[in-house]
């Protein structure tokens, strides 16, 4: 199951560390193909197009704050590859 959730991203460094900005993330719940969020996260990092995500409350969250429009189909293909076992 995938849902869009509100998220917070972090930016800055040096004299402005720890500033955050509102964002959105795609929340993916583990399922039959990959029963744990930890396994799904590791599989995303090993995909043909690696995807960086985070674990939150037992789910994988893909924050779109730093994803360009042209990169969305690439990330979607990587998630499909992992979740569907392609």
């Amino acid at each position: 199951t995938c849902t869009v959730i509100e998220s917070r991203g972090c930016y800055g460094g040096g004299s402005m560390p720890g500033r955050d900005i509102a964002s959105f993330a795609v929340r993916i719940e583990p399922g039959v193909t990959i029963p744990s969020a930890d396994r799904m996260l590791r599989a995303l990092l090993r995909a043909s197009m690696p995807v960086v995500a985070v674990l939150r409350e037992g789910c994988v969250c893909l924050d779109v704050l730093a994803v360009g429009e042209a990169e969305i189909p690439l990330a979607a293909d990587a998630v499909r590859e992992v979740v569907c076992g392609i």
Side-chain angles (χ1 to χ4, degrees):
T1 303
C2 295
T3 53
V4 175
I5 61 170
E6 290 184 13
S7 182
R8 305 286 303 169
C10 191
Y11 71 95
S15 64
M16 294 181 58
R19 302 285 182 166
D20 62 331
I21 187 170
S23 182
F24 290 93
V26 177
R27 180 179 184 263
I28 306 169
E29 294 180 32
V32 175
T33 307
I34 301 179
S36 81
D38 190 53
R39 280 185 60 194
M40 186 184 305
L41 182 65
R42 288 193 312 266
L44 284 169
L45 290 171
R46 290 188 311 264
S48 57
M49 171 63 70
V51 174
V52 176
V54 295
L55 296 178
R56 289 189 193 146
E57 300 174 1
C59 295
V60 173
C61 292
L62 302 152
D63 197 302
V64 297
L65 181 63
V67 178
E69 193 170 331
E71 298 169 318
I72 293 172
L74 300 172
D77 287 345
V79 170
R80 187 177 305 110
E81 173 185 324
V82 166
V83 173
C84 296
I86 297 172

